[in-house]
Amino acid sequence: MPFKINTLLPGAWELTKDLQYELFSLHVPTAWQQVAKSLAQKRVNLQGRGYPSVPVYSLDPIIAASFPRIIQTVRNGWQRPGVPWILATERAELFNLPDLIKDWLREEFSYCLGDDEVESSLNKLDDNVWEWENKPISFPLQLPPNNPYGIDVRWQAIPDYMAGEFLKNPQVTFGWNNEYQLTFYQVVTLKPGAELMSWPPYRVPLIKNKKQVGTADISFVIRFKLQTVPWRNQPMIYHQLSIRRWITESIKRWPYRGATVFIGDERRWLDGQKQPFCFIPLPIRQITTQAGREARWQRAISELLKINDSPLPDPDSLASEPIYNWSVFAAAPTGIQAAIAYDSRHLGEFSCFSGVSPLDLASLDSAIQNKIEQENLSFRRIGEGVRKSGEYTPFWELGQPQKKGSSEPKNPDDLSTPMLRPKIAASATFRHTENSPHTILILWETQKCRDALIAEICKLLSLSPQGETITYETLTGFTGEETLYGNQDVCLLLRTQHVSDITARLDVDDPEVEGNNRQQKRITLIDKRIHQITSYLPPAEGLSGALVEIKPKQDFFPPESDPKLAVRIGVMQAGYVNQHIHALKTSTKNDEEFITKKSTNRVQRAVTDLLRQFGILPAPLIDFEKDAIDPNMWLTCFYVLRRTRKTTASNQASIVALMVRVNPIKGTVQVTTPTLFATQGWVSYSVGLGYLLSEKWEPLTYADETIGDTSDAQQSSDTKSEQKFLNKFVTDCLRDCLSTSIEEEKPPHVLFMAEAINARLMLTWLKNPQLPANNLPDELKRHMTESEINRLSVVRLRVPGDGEVPVAIAKGSPGSRTNGLFCWQGVCDDEATALYLSMRKLLNTEQGTNTLQQKQSRLDNGGVQAGNPKPLEIAVIHHPGIERDKLACFVHNLRDRWPYFANEVSLPLPFPFATSAKQYAVSAKDRVESVDLEDEEDSEESVD
C-alpha cells in the first residue's frame, strides 16, 4: 500500500530579523524630465491616442541590463521633480548614461515624430548634470515604507537579499543520489523578485519507451519572490523552480514577434567595470524595413556595447549558430555568452517537456533549509500543510476497466470522461426541452471529418436517422444536406454543408485592401469575411451549434492571415455557437486505412465542447452523502474576461465582467454581465456567449476615454466608480440567486467564488489586506438582509499564476506526489482564520511511465512529463451554518465535478464555464497572437 502523505511543506519563508538595505539614489534632471514628457505628449497629439506619460516601462529592461545592481526603479522619477528614479546597492560611473537614454528616446519616438523633431529636443540636453546622491538611503526590510515618497523596496530587496545569500555558495545538487551539481548565476531583472539560473546548460537525454531518442539542453531556474497571504501581516518569500530550454539548432526564421536571448557577461556594460558573471535577458525584435522584416537588438544596448568594444553577436549569425561561446562544466564562465530561450513563439515543438519533478523541488527546498541552518541565515519556514480530506470518493460511477491487451473496443459508458458516456450525455442533453439543441451544423472540408462527427454525435446522444436526407438551399444559393435524427423521445436536426472558402487565408498583403499595415488590413478583411459567413450559412433554428473544419495555424503566414477569429465571430453572429476542428489524420495497418486515436479523441472533444457551449450539464451535481452539503445551493462565480482591443475608436484594452450560476439539482447553467443583468437578468449559457461578441466594458461614459489623457485624480475617481459599480452588480446577482428557489419553495443557499488574481482589481476586497475574516465584505453586506447574509458563503481562490501560491513538498517522502485538501497551519496571525492548499490528482496522461518517477530528476529524462500539480489556494471568507473545513473540502471536490474532463481541473465548477467563455470575448480588432482558440484541440491530452 503506498505511503500516505499527511503533511506538506510549503515553499514559504520569512525574514526573522529586521535588516537595513543601504541604497544609493539617482534623480532624473528636470530638463531631461521635461524633454521626455514633451516627446510623449507630441506622440499622443499626433496619433490621437496613447498615454502622455513617459514610457519608462520600456527603459527599465535597458537600464537593468546596463547596470545589474539596481534594486528598484521608481516610475514617478520621470514624472515628478524630487522623486528618485534609481535605487541601487552600488554606484556606477555615469559617463555613458546620457547617450544610453538618448538612444532609448530615439528608438521610442523617432519612428512616429521623425528624426529631426527628436534630435532637436535632445540637442537641448546637458550630459553633465547626471550624478548620484552622496549619501545612501536606509530602507528597513521588515517594516512598511517610511520615506517622503512612499517607496517600498521590500518586494525587490528581500528576494535580492535571499538570492545574494544563496550565491555565496551557488552550487546545488539534484538527483536521487545528488549526482547532479549545478552552479547558479544571477539573472538581471527589475520585475519584483530575484532569479538565478544554472549555467552552463545541462544536456538532458530524451528517453521514450526505454530508448534514448535524442538530447536537449536546459538550465534550471530558481525564483525568489515576496508574496502575501490572507490574514497575515508580514509578507513571505516563495521559491519556485522551473527549467529554461535552449535552442541549439539553426533557426530558419525568427518568431514573428521576436525572441528572448540571455546574454552572460562578467563586465558591467554601463562603465565597463568587472562584476560577478550574470545574465541579461535581451529581446531581439522583428522590425519592418523596406527590405522586409529584420531582426535587431535594442538600439540603446547595442550602441552602449559598441562603446565598450563588446559588440553583441549579429542576430542572423546567432540564429545560424545559437550556441555562442558557452562555457563548460566546472570552468568559470568568461566573456560574452549568448543563448536563445525556446518558447511557444518558435515554430515546431521542443523535444524536452517543461517543468521539474517533485524530487527536484524537494532538492531545492532541502538546499534552502540546509543553507539556513548551516549558515545561520535570518530566515525560517512558515508552517506546514496538514491533511483535511479523507479517502477520495469518485462522484460519478467508475466504468469497468478494460483488460490489459484486449483488442475489443471499449464500452463508451466505461470512459473516464462523464460527458463521453452516452448514458450521461444523452439524458443531460435532452433533459430540459427548452434548453435542448435543435440543430447542429457541420461545416466540412473532408468527408472523413464529416462522417466521423456525425457518427460521434449519433453514438454519444443515442440517435439514429429518422427520415430521408434532403437538400436545402441558403438565401445566397449555397446548398447543403439535412437529416432528422432521434429516438423514441427526442429529435435533432443535423445539417452538413461544405465549408467552401470561409476558412481560406486572409490576403493581408493585397495592396487593394484598405489599411496601412497588415494588422489594419486584417481588421478590414475580418469584417468582410464575417459578412460573407453570415450570408453563407442557413438561418439558425432554436438552440443551434456548428462544428467547423478549419486549417491549423501553421498553414497561415504571416499570422495576420489566419481567419479563425472571423470564423468564430461570423458563425456565432449567424446564430450558431461553434467549435473548430482540424482535418483528421489517418494511418494504415494491414493495407487498411483508419483514423488515428489522437484524431478520434479530437472528434470526441469537439462534440462534447459543443455540448458545453450549449450549457449542458448532468444532474445532480451535489451528493449529500459524499459532500456533506445540502444540494439546495446555487454554485456561482465571478470572472473577468479581458480583451486586448476594444471595439471603439480608442483602440484600448477592455474587460467584461461575467457571473455564472449553476443549479446543481436541475443541471442548468446561466450567465449574466452588467449590461445583460440590467436588461434581461440571467440568460442561458449559449445566449450569453453570443452576447459577449457585442458586450463592451462601459458601465459609465468614461469607459471610452483614453485613460492617459485624464489626470491622476480623474483616473482614481473613475477606477473607484468602476469598482463601486461592479460590487453592486455582484451584490444584485447574489441577491437574485438568494431569492430564486432551486427546486422546492425553500430559500436556497448560495456559494460565491472568485479567483483573486483575476478579479481583485475590480473587487478590491479580495486583496489580502482588505479580505474580511469570518464575515462578508461591507461592499456586499450593506445591501443584504440578515436572512440573505446567513445563506451566503464566500470563498476566495488563488491559482499559482506568477508564483502567488507556494510549491508544496511531501514531508518525509522526497519525490512523492499526493492529492487532497491540506490546511496550512502556522501561517495566519489569528487561529480563527485558516488557509487551505488543494492538490489535484494526476491526470490520466501523467501516470505510469508517461511521467518522471519518484526517484527521477528532470535531468534524468526530458522525454516525459513532470507530473507536478500545483496547489490551489482556498480562503474561506464567510461560511454561515457550514463548518469551515467542510466547505473547503466541498470546494476542493468541485474540482472533480467538471463532467467534460476525465480528471480534476484547475478551478472548481462552475469556473470552467467562465474561463471558456473567453473564446467569445473577442472583436475583429484583437491582435492575432491573442487568439489561440484551438489550443485545447491541439493538446496531446487524451480525454480518456
Side-chain angles (χ1 to χ4, degrees):
M1 186 173 179
F3 175 71
K4 185 176 181 180
I5 307 299
N6 288 314
T7 308
L8 296 179
L9 298 176
W13 317 83
E14 72 171 347
L15 199 60
T16 55
K17 68 178 182 180
D18 191 22
L19 301 172
Q20 303 287 322
Y21 240 47
E22 301 287 324
L23 299 177
F24 295 95
S25 62
L26 180 67
H27 290 71
V28 180
T30 303
W32 288 70
Q33 279 186 346
Q34 292 172 344
V35 165
K37 287 181 184 178
S38 174
L39 292 172
Q41 185 64 60
K42 287 177 181 178
R43 180 165 63 180
V44 170
N45 295 341
L46 178 66
Q47 296 181 340
R49 59 182 174 84
Y51 302 92
S53 55
V54 181
V56 191
Y57 62 86
S58 67
L59 177 58
D60 271 357
I62 293 173
I63 196 66
S66 61
F67 179 26
R69 292 311 302 152
I70 296 173
I71 292 297
Q72 185 169 331
T73 59
V74 184
R75 299 262 169 104
N76 282 340
W78 278 87
Q79 309 290 354
R80 297 172 183 168
V83 179
W85 167 42
I86 288 178
L87 297 169
T89 56
E90 60 186 37
R91 291 180 287 194
E93 295 294 338
L94 301 178
F95 44 80
N96 287 326
L97 181 63
D99 286 333
L100 179 77
I101 294 176
K102 286 179 180 179
D103 281 330
W104 162 66
L105 291 170
R106 291 184 181 106
E107 191 168 37
E108 186 72 35
F109 294 107
S110 291
Y111 80 97
C112 60
L113 299 181
D115 292 337
D116 292 343
E117 177 73 31
V118 174
E119 291 301 326
S120 65
S121 297
L122 299 184
N123 289 336
K124 303 173 185 176
L125 297 174
D126 182 0
D127 292 355
N128 299 314
V129 293
W130 289 89
E131 58 182 15
W132 292 98
E133 293 294 314
N134 291 326
K135 294 183 179 179
I137 306 173
S138 181
F139 291 90
L141 296 190
Q142 274 196 323
L143 300 174
N146 183 21
N147 55 73
Y149 314 110
I151 299 172
D152 191 349
V153 302
R154 293 179 298 169
W155 307 97
Q156 284 96 332
I158 294 179
D160 178 77
Y161 174 71
M162 190 172 202
E165 294 295 313
F166 203 87
L167 288 175
K168 290 179 180 178
N169 182 15
Q171 285 78 33
V172 181
T173 56
F174 294 90
W176 185 250
N177 295 314
N178 295 328
E179 61 265 41
Y180 305 112
Q181 185 177 74
L182 303 183
T183 303
F184 286 83
Y185 299 89
Q186 180 191 16
V187 177
V188 176
T189 176
L190 283 179
K191 296 178 181 179
E195 183 176 305
L196 308 175
M197 185 171 74
S198 67
W199 193 260
Y202 191 88
R203 182 150 291 176
V204 176
L206 305 175
I207 302 171
K208 294 183 180 180
N209 299 323
K210 298 182 179 180
K211 293 182 180 179
Q212 183 168 334
V213 294
T215 60
D217 292 80
I218 68 171
S219 291
F220 272 13
V221 178
I222 300 172
R223 292 183 180 89
F224 297 118
K225 193 168 182 183
L226 204 64
Q227 301 286 1
T228 61
V229 297
W231 311 309
R232 177 185 177 85
N233 286 328
Q234 287 294 335
M236 301 175 293
I237 300 178
Y238 290 173
H239 72 262
Q240 305 282 332
L241 183 65
S242 60
I243 67 169
R244 187 160 283 141
R245 299 170 288 181
W246 303 111
I247 291 177
T248 57
E249 302 294 331
S250 297
I251 301 174
K252 295 180 180 179
R253 185 169 63 206
W254 286 105
Y256 189 70
R257 303 292 292 179
T260 300
V261 180
F262 284 75
I263 307 293
D265 200 0
E266 54 190 343
R267 290 205 312 163
R268 192 164 63 195
W269 293 350
L270 189 61
D271 58 8
Q273 295 296 311
K274 192 171 179 63
Q275 65 177 12
F277 187 84
C278 63
F279 283 93
I280 297 99
L282 291 182
I284 285 184
R285 294 173 176 167
Q286 289 269 64
I287 305 296
T288 301
T289 66
Q290 292 181 345
R293 293 185 67 79
E294 296 181 3
R296 293 182 181 175
W297 298 106
Q298 291 169 293
R299 175 173 177 171
I301 292 296
S302 182
E303 293 298 319
L304 177 66
L305 286 176
K306 287 179 182 177
I307 294 173
N308 286 328
D309 197 26
S310 299
L312 291 169
D314 175 72
D316 292 331
S317 299
L318 187 61
S320 62
E321 297 182 16
I323 300 177
Y324 187 85
N325 192 32
W326 289 6
S327 55
V328 297
F329 273 92
T334 58
I336 284 187
Q337 305 187 30
I340 307 170
Y342 168 84
D343 63 32
S344 59
R345 292 176 296 180
H346 292 273
L347 295 177
E349 295 183 1
F350 199 83
S351 52
C352 178
F353 279 89
S354 62
V356 297
S357 74
L359 179 64
D360 294 326
L361 283 180
S363 297
L364 175 59
D365 188 82
S366 177
I368 294 172
Q369 186 68 51
N370 290 339
K371 286 177 185 291
I372 290 173
E373 294 173 355
Q374 295 170 6
E375 301 173 30
N376 198 27
L377 302 182
S378 304
F379 296 98
R380 72 174 181 91
R381 187 190 296 281
I382 300 299
E384 295 182 345
V386 178
R387 179 179 289 277
K388 287 294 179 182
S389 63
E391 294 297 324
Y392 169 72
T393 304
F395 184 76
W396 283 284
E397 178 184 351
L398 295 178
Q400 294 295 322
Q402 195 170 24
K403 291 183 180 179
K404 190 173 182 179
S406 173
S407 59
E408 294 292 322
K410 193 168 186 178
N411 184 340
D413 284 325
D414 290 333
L415 295 176
S416 299
T417 305
M419 284 300 289
L420 284 179
R421 305 177 196 171
K423 66 180 181 182
I424 291 179
S427 61
T429 301
F430 299 109
R431 177 184 296 110
H432 306 290
T433 306
E434 67 278 11
N435 292 328
S436 296
H438 179 279
T439 303
I440 293 180
L441 171 65
I442 298 175
L443 296 171
W444 59 276
E445 184 166 8
T446 61
Q447 292 187 2
K448 283 187 177 66
C449 189
R450 178 197 65 184
D451 296 343
L453 289 170
I454 293 174
E456 178 62 24
I457 292 170
C458 291
K459 180 184 72 173
L460 185 62
L461 301 181
S462 303
L463 302 175
S464 59
Q466 300 296 301
E468 295 295 323
T469 298
I470 63 173
T471 301
Y472 66 83
E473 184 174 328
T474 67
L475 294 175
T476 50
F478 293 96
T479 60
E481 295 181 339
E482 65 179 36
T483 308
L484 192 65
Y485 286 78
N487 52 41
Q488 64 272 24
D489 300 316
V490 300
C491 61
L492 175 70
L493 186 63
L494 206 58
R495 286 175 166 164
T496 61
Q497 187 172 328
H498 192 270
V499 76
S500 187
D501 59 352
I502 67 172
T503 59
R505 72 184 298 274
L506 305 173
D507 191 359
V508 292
D509 293 317
D510 184 353
E512 301 296 321
V513 177
E514 180 183 347
N516 297 326
N517 52 48
R518 285 173 175 166
Q519 185 68 26
Q520 292 178 2
K521 290 184 178 186
R522 177 175 178 268
I523 295 171
T524 301
L525 292 170
I526 283 180
D527 287 334
K528 183 179 178 181
R529 182 67 57 85
I530 290 171
H531 178 74
Q532 175 191 349
I533 292 171
T534 54
S535 63
Y536 174 74
L537 301 184
E541 302 176 35
L543 182 58
S544 300
L547 294 160
V548 188
E549 186 177 355
I550 61 169
K551 298 176 178 64
K553 58 186 176 183
Q554 290 87 347
D555 286 9
F556 300 102
F557 189 84
E560 289 92 348
S561 66
D562 194 333
K564 285 194 286 290
L565 181 61
V567 174
R568 175 70 67 189
I569 297 173
V571 177
M572 184 70 252
Q573 287 189 359
Y576 300 88
V577 292
N578 54 97
Q579 176 62 21
H580 306 166
I581 184 172
H582 296 155
L584 305 183
K585 294 180 180 178
T586 58
S587 186
T588 303
K589 187 176 183 180
N590 298 329
D591 296 329
E592 192 172 323
E593 190 179 52
F594 64 93
I595 297 174
T596 64
K597 182 178 179 181
K598 182 179 178 181
S599 287
T600 301
N601 283 338
R602 291 198 288 109
V603 170
Q604 292 175 317
R605 278 202 304 273
V607 173
T608 55
D609 197 68
L610 189 66
L611 297 184
R612 188 269 305 168
Q613 294 182 47
F614 286 145
I616 292 170
L617 278 176
L621 290 161
I622 300 177
D623 186 323
F624 183 79
E625 291 186 3
K626 296 176 181 178
D627 299 313
I629 294 289
D630 185 353
N632 187 42
M633 173 188 285
W634 285 105
L635 304 177
T636 70
C637 73
F638 173 86
Y639 201 74
V640 174
L641 301 173
R642 290 173 171 84
R643 295 161 78 166
T644 57
R645 289 292 182 268
K646 204 176 188 178
T647 51
T648 64
S650 65
N651 204 34
Q652 297 299 320
S654 66
I655 63 173
V656 177
L658 191 70
M659 282 283 287
V660 179
R661 75 175 182 184
V662 165
N663 181 325
I665 295 177
K666 294 184 177 180
T668 56
V669 55
Q670 296 172 300
V671 299
T672 193
T673 67
T675 308
L676 263 178
F677 192 77
T679 56
Q680 302 180 49
W682 296 89
V683 299
S684 67
Y685 185 65
S686 59
V687 171
L689 292 181
Y691 192 85
L692 285 176
L693 290 178
S694 58
E695 168 81 70
K696 291 193 292 289
W697 175 246
E698 46 179 3
L700 300 173
T701 55
Y702 60 76
D704 276 334
E705 294 178 6
T706 300
I707 296 176
D709 293 334
T710 58
S711 66
D712 289 345
Q714 179 65 38
Q715 289 183 41
S716 177
S717 174
D718 292 348
T719 301
K720 289 180 180 178
S721 296
E722 283 184 346
Q723 293 163 352
K724 183 178 179 181
F725 177 88
L726 268 184
N727 275 290
K728 185 178 186 305
F729 164 64
V730 170
T731 304
D732 290 344
C733 290
L734 294 177
R735 295 194 69 189
D736 184 80
C737 293
L738 289 162
S739 62
T740 304
S741 60
I742 289 180
E743 188 175 42
E744 301 174 355
E745 290 301 319
K746 60 180 181 179
H749 200 96
V750 172
L751 171 61
F752 174 63
M753 294 178 286
E755 199 282 308
I757 298 175
N758 170 266
R760 63 192 173 204
L761 291 180
M762 298 295 111
L763 306 181
T764 54
W765 52 267
L766 289 170
K767 296 180 180 180
N768 289 329
Q770 290 91 1
L771 197 70
N774 301 315
N775 202 351
L776 287 181
D778 187 59
E779 289 88 342
L780 305 182
K781 188 176 181 179
R782 69 172 71 132
H783 301 293
M784 291 187 171
T785 65
E786 185 174 351
S787 171
E788 291 170 332
I789 292 172
N790 292 333
R791 289 184 285 116
L792 175 62
S793 295
V794 179
V795 173
R796 192 198 81 166
L797 308 170
R798 185 157 54 162
V799 295
D802 202 22
E804 291 200 23
V805 180
V807 298
I809 294 96
K811 185 177 181 178
S813 183
S816 292
R817 301 172 174 90
T818 188
N819 64 279
L821 183 77
F822 295 80
C823 182
W824 188 358
Q825 297 182 349
V827 63
C828 299
D829 293 331
D830 187 347
E831 292 184 0
T833 56
L835 206 58
Y836 300 87
L837 299 175
S838 167
M839 304 292 297
R840 70 160 174 82
K841 301 196 307 293
L842 290 180
L843 305 179
N844 290 349
T845 53
E846 292 175 334
Q847 298 173 10
T849 56
N850 292 323
T851 304
L852 291 170
Q853 303 301 296
Q854 179 182 355
K855 295 185 178 182
Q856 284 186 305
S857 164
R858 169 54 78 202
L859 303 175
D860 292 324
N861 186 4
V864 294
Q865 298 183 73
N868 206 355
K870 297 177 181 179
L872 173 71
E873 181 188 282
I874 300 176
V876 178
I877 300 171
H878 189 238
H879 53 105
I882 305 176
E883 184 183 354
R884 184 178 61 203
D885 287 353
K886 184 189 296 183
L887 183 59
C889 282
F890 175 60
V891 173
H892 167 76
N893 291 342
L894 287 177
R895 299 182 72 180
D896 193 27
R897 215 59 56 92
W898 179 239
Y900 291 95
F901 194 53
N903 304 277
E904 295 177 5
V905 290
S906 297
L907 287 168
L909 186 77
F911 274 102
F913 280 115
T915 57
S916 297
K918 67 184 178 182
Q919 295 176 337
Y920 290 91
V922 293
S923 77
K925 288 190 174 183
D926 279 301
R927 295 188 70 89
V928 65
E929 61 265 27
S930 69
V931 184
D932 285 317
L933 304 177
E934 279 59 62
D935 277 352
E936 290 183 356
E937 183 195 312
D938 290 337
S939 168
E940 293 289 341
E941 181 64 56
S942 170
V943 294
D944 190 58

